Amino acid sequence: MRTSIATVCLSGGLTEKLHACAAAGFDGVEIMEADLLAAFESPEEIQALCRRLGLSIDMYQPLRDIEGVSTGLFEENLRRAEAKFELMERLGTRLVLLCSNVATATVADETVAAAQLGALADLAAEHGIRIAYEALAWGRYVSDYRDAWRLVQLADRPNLGLCLDSFHILSRGHDPSEIESIDAEKLFFLQLADAPALDLDVLSWSRHHRLFPGEGAFDLVGFLGHVLRAGYDGPLSLEVFNDTFRQTDVRRTAQHAQRSLRWLADRAAAAGGWSTGRLAPAQPPLGVDFVEIAGQDLAAVDEMLDRLGFAFAGRHRSKPVRLWTAGDASIILNEQDRGLEPRIAALGLLVADAEAAAEHARGIGAPPVFRRISAGDQELPAVFAPDGTEVYWADGPASASWRAEFGGGLASADGLLGIVDHVNLTSPWQDFDETVLFGAGVLGLEAEASSEVPGPLGLVRSVVMRSADGAVRLAMNLAPPAAPALPRHLAIRVDDAVAVASAARQRGMEFLPVPDNYYDDLAARFALDPAFGARLRGLGLLFDRDDAGAFIHGYTPTIGGVFLEIVQRIDDYRGYGATDAPIRLAAQRVAALQLTSW
Ligand SMILES: O=C(O)c1ccc(O)c(O)c1
Ligand SMILES: [Mg+2]
């Protein structure tokens, strides 16, 4: 399948965009008129550059507000269109996008609109140009692809067909299955975009919030299946108007875009039972193998784990690396990185076939990690997440043999028993959507609904991505621009958080201080047993309840860029204490500024 991308998806000038598209491996581009008009290069020079870069110019876009108008205005529109056709000849492209009229249409009569489309097509034919007619979701009379298809049939010209755009169809809730009844030779072009579920006017939603496939709420796998079953064999092109991607690094966004298409093509092929172009099978994670905290000096983390009740499980035989465990939770402390403050640097996942997981990830385009290892050490395949976190895979569900590389641990009979409940991977705002795509495409996780947590330095957007059974849950958080280095954390689930916290207290552990105001409100909200409320307050634990159960949790102080959370899920509580997250963010800010009193 050929891949293409609209230049409107990217930041920079036109030539920068073209270089980035070629470097990311796209076969072609849709050139947006605004990009060409703002370029100092002539259309002939752009054509030559594309040829040199190996990019085809698949479409020029858009022609606007042509059909459904009075006769006088239509004459003027034809004159306007002819100038574009001449420009397209200089650019060497033969397909133009025509958006349904959003502004000047005054004639609701389909036969008039169809006749005008036919006359436009006849003029285009004189220049050897084909027209792909696209129903914009906010079109005046044509806003549904089925209406556009009827007009194309009525006009009945060989060089007039359709451009389908997933955004316009799925944003309006139009049934995409009817695409299958459109003649394949009339499907001139396909534009793909995902989007978050937003309650917003459709024009603003389209112009600012589109996402690459796999990052939003649309079923693009199902959508593409309908288009392919209709017999479409043109390029898969991305058209993503998005305020973030317009200002992020153009090369990186182009690579990100290419990965989203590889993921989508693979998923659509899998869903359709097609074998061509398939990647190695995705490996949904079965569990968390380990979490690695890396940094210059991790003695404070050792002390914290010890106080929490983790067992010291030994030193690595050849590296400054230590292992701590609490039941099924394993934390690796890695002091190989000089000069960096403690942070969650790597994550190990258990899968049925680690090599297949890595091959799938490489097929999508995730960059592989090369870690220097000593003779005899187990080599786990790994890739980088968009923010640089390393993700390793090991064959599960049994623990991997890398544990044998650690020796000299202290077995602890009465140690903490826990399991990794979730890992929070906060990313800077510009990496967030790519991180969600990584979670879905590379790690095989499903996104839960997104939420927004008000923090003292801005809203923190959060999407929890989980495996089907919840054994792996990654909370992907978007750090606001004012707080790009928000700490990340690891939550350990235990059976009795109150007991764990009080034992830790006795060993000298101080949890993150929580304001009294929070506990006063908690008592009122949940009508808590006063003794229980006092216990939570005394230990600095937080509490939440939903329809299915309750949640007790507490936070350690932050060390460098990392902290731990102890959580207890009672009955079937499904959340993450979202109402407590703003309290936590504010308390961490107070702790960071040491503003404990005024
Ligand atoms: O928002 C627009 O104007 C616009 C232009 C061209 C497209 O293909 C589209 O989907 C939207
Ligand atoms: Mg479009």
Side-chain angles (χ1 to χ4, degrees):
M1 201 50 101
R2 287 169 46 77
T3 59
S4 187
I5 182 167
T7 56
V8 73
C9 303
L10 302 169
S11 67
L14 182 55
T15 57
E16 279 176 279
K17 295 183 189 208
L18 295 173
H19 278 280
C21 295
F26 282 95
D27 301 305
V29 288
E30 296 175 44
I31 292 186
M32 183 70 148
E33 181 167 82
D35 283 323
L36 182 76
L37 300 187
F40 282 93
E41 294 75 15
S42 67
E44 290 83 358
E45 285 169 330
I46 294 298
Q47 173 176 185
L49 175 62
C50 287
R51 184 168 305 142
R52 185 162 69 70
L53 292 172
L55 288 172
S56 58
I57 304 179
D58 293 326
M59 193 161 74
Y60 183 70
Q61 70 144 314
L63 269 178
R64 295 183 192 273
D65 299 328
I66 298 275
E67 82 292 9
V69 297
S70 65
T71 315
L73 184 54
F74 185 64
E75 288 307 312
E76 169 61 16
N77 290 348
L78 280 184
R79 189 198 58 76
R80 199 160 48 84
E82 182 147 41
K84 309 267 189 225
F85 298 154
E86 284 161 6
L87 184 147
M88 286 174 62
E89 285 183 272
R90 296 176 59 197
L91 202 53
T93 183
R94 302 283 162 187
L95 182 66
V96 66
L97 178 75
L98 170 64
C99 294
S100 61
N101 197 327
V102 301
T104 60
T106 49
V107 186
D109 186 343
E110 278 196 350
T111 56
V112 172
Q116 291 177 342
L117 288 179
L120 178 77
D122 292 342
L123 180 64
E126 291 171 23
H127 299 267
I129 284 172
R130 297 156 76 231
I131 296 171
Y133 185 48
E134 176 186 27
L136 296 197
W138 55 95
R140 178 81 177 82
Y141 297 118
V142 177
S143 59
D144 182 325
Y145 76 96
R146 292 160 293 200
D147 295 332
W149 171 222
R150 219 173 32 253
L151 290 188
V152 164
Q153 287 173 292
L154 278 173
D156 192 21
R157 300 295 203 284
N159 65 330
L160 177 67
L162 287 177
C163 170
L164 297 179
D165 179 329
S166 62
F167 180 86
H168 298 297
I169 296 170
L170 300 177
S171 65
R172 296 284 308 268
H174 295 157
D175 178 2
S177 69
E178 291 176 44
I179 292 170
E180 293 187 34
S181 59
I182 298 174
D183 299 341
E185 70 272 16
K186 287 295 187 184
L187 293 177
F188 282 8
F189 207 72
L190 174 65
Q191 294 175 322
L192 295 162
D194 205 338
L198 292 176
D199 194 4
L200 195 67
D201 73 278
V202 76
L203 182 127
S204 309
W205 190 11
S206 176
R207 293 256 174 97
H208 301 279
H209 300 284
R210 291 187 184 206
L211 292 169
F212 291 115
E215 300 171 359
F218 289 169
D219 176 13
L220 283 176
V221 175
F223 179 86
L224 181 57
H226 294 306
V227 179
L228 296 178
R229 273 192 294 278
Y232 176 75
D233 65 355
L236 304 187
S237 189
L238 294 165
E239 188 192 37
V240 173
F241 301 81
N242 178 291
D243 295 352
T244 298
F245 306 148
R246 273 184 199 275
Q247 54 183 308
T248 49
D249 180 80
V250 60
R251 287 184 165 253
R252 181 162 170 178
T253 309
Q255 286 174 350
H256 164 189
Q258 176 69 231
R259 287 181 197 136
S260 78
L261 266 191
R262 289 191 196 156
W263 166 81
L264 175 62
D266 181 60
R267 288 292 299 273
W274 300 301
S275 59
T276 48
R278 289 298 319 278
L279 304 174
Q283 300 289 312
L286 309 170
V288 175
D289 193 16
F290 64 86
V291 175
E292 179 183 297
I293 297 171
Q296 156 114 317
D297 174 7
L298 300 175
V301 183
D302 284 308
E303 184 182 68
M304 180 172 80
L305 295 175
D306 188 40
R307 287 177 169 168
L308 281 172
F310 275 71
F312 180 65
R315 293 178 187 281
H316 192 272
R317 61 190 173 203
S318 61
K319 293 182 274 202
V321 173
R322 308 185 279 281
L323 175 64
W324 289 84
T325 60
D328 290 330
S330 295
I331 300 184
I332 290 175
L333 302 189
N334 180 347
E335 286 182 339
Q336 287 176 296
D337 288 341
R338 312 310 299 172
L340 290 176
E341 64 171 19
R343 68 202 194 287
I344 294 180
L347 190 64
L349 297 176
L350 294 166
V351 289
D353 183 342
E355 268 312 323
E359 204 185 317
H360 175 81
R362 287 191 294 265
I364 288 178
V369 172
F370 293 103
R371 192 175 256 203
R372 206 174 325 141
I373 57 162
S374 311
D377 286 357
Q378 187 181 359
E379 189 174 3
L380 302 178
V383 296
F384 287 107
D387 61 10
T389 306
E390 299 171 6
V391 179
Y392 290 80
W393 287 282
D395 293 337
S399 306
S401 59
W402 56 263
R403 281 161 215 276
E405 294 160 24
F406 291 81
L410 305 168
S412 156
D414 61 347
L416 179 68
L417 291 180
I419 187 165
V420 173
D421 184 84
H422 61 277
V423 182
N424 162 298
L425 295 178
T426 299
S427 353
W429 63 275
Q430 69 275 22
D431 296 345
F432 180 74
D433 299 305
E434 197 178 351
T435 303
V436 171
L437 175 67
F438 179 84
V442 173
L443 304 185
L445 301 172
E446 301 272 342
E448 294 182 21
S450 90
S451 60
E452 276 172 347
V453 180
L457 293 178
L459 282 183
V460 177
R461 209 163 103 215
S462 178
V463 174
V464 177
M465 306 202 68
R466 50 179 278 157
S467 56
D469 65 358
V472 174
R473 309 182 213 218
L474 303 183
M476 310 296 200
N477 282 10
L478 177 155
L486 222 50
R488 300 163 147 217
H489 76 275
L490 160 64
I492 305 291
R493 186 162 74 241
V494 299
D495 286 339
D496 185 343
V498 170
V500 168
S502 54
R505 258 297 168 81
Q506 273 160 24
R507 286 188 288 261
M509 176 84 204
E510 291 289 340
F511 286 89
L512 177 74
V514 175
D516 276 333
N517 299 346
Y518 169 80
Y519 292 104
D520 295 344
D521 179 63
L522 197 63
R525 262 195 296 154
F526 294 123
L528 287 187
D529 165 44
F532 178 60
R535 194 95 173 98
L536 294 177
R537 192 189 297 246
L539 290 167
L541 292 175
L542 299 96
F543 180 85
D544 189 29
R545 196 186 277 155
D546 67 10
D547 298 344
F551 193 55
I552 304 173
H553 62 142
Y555 303 101
T556 72
T558 302
I559 301 175
V562 63
F563 64 97
L564 262 63
E565 181 180 5
I566 297 295
V567 313
Q568 177 186 350
R569 293 179 181 275
I570 299 167
D571 299 328
D572 295 323
Y573 180 88
R574 285 180 52 83
Y576 303 87
T579 48
D580 298 337
I583 307 292
R584 189 257 293 170
L585 288 167
Q588 286 175 326
R589 169 114 177 116
V590 170
L593 297 174
Q594 296 184 311
L595 284 176
T596 41
S597 68
W598 54 281

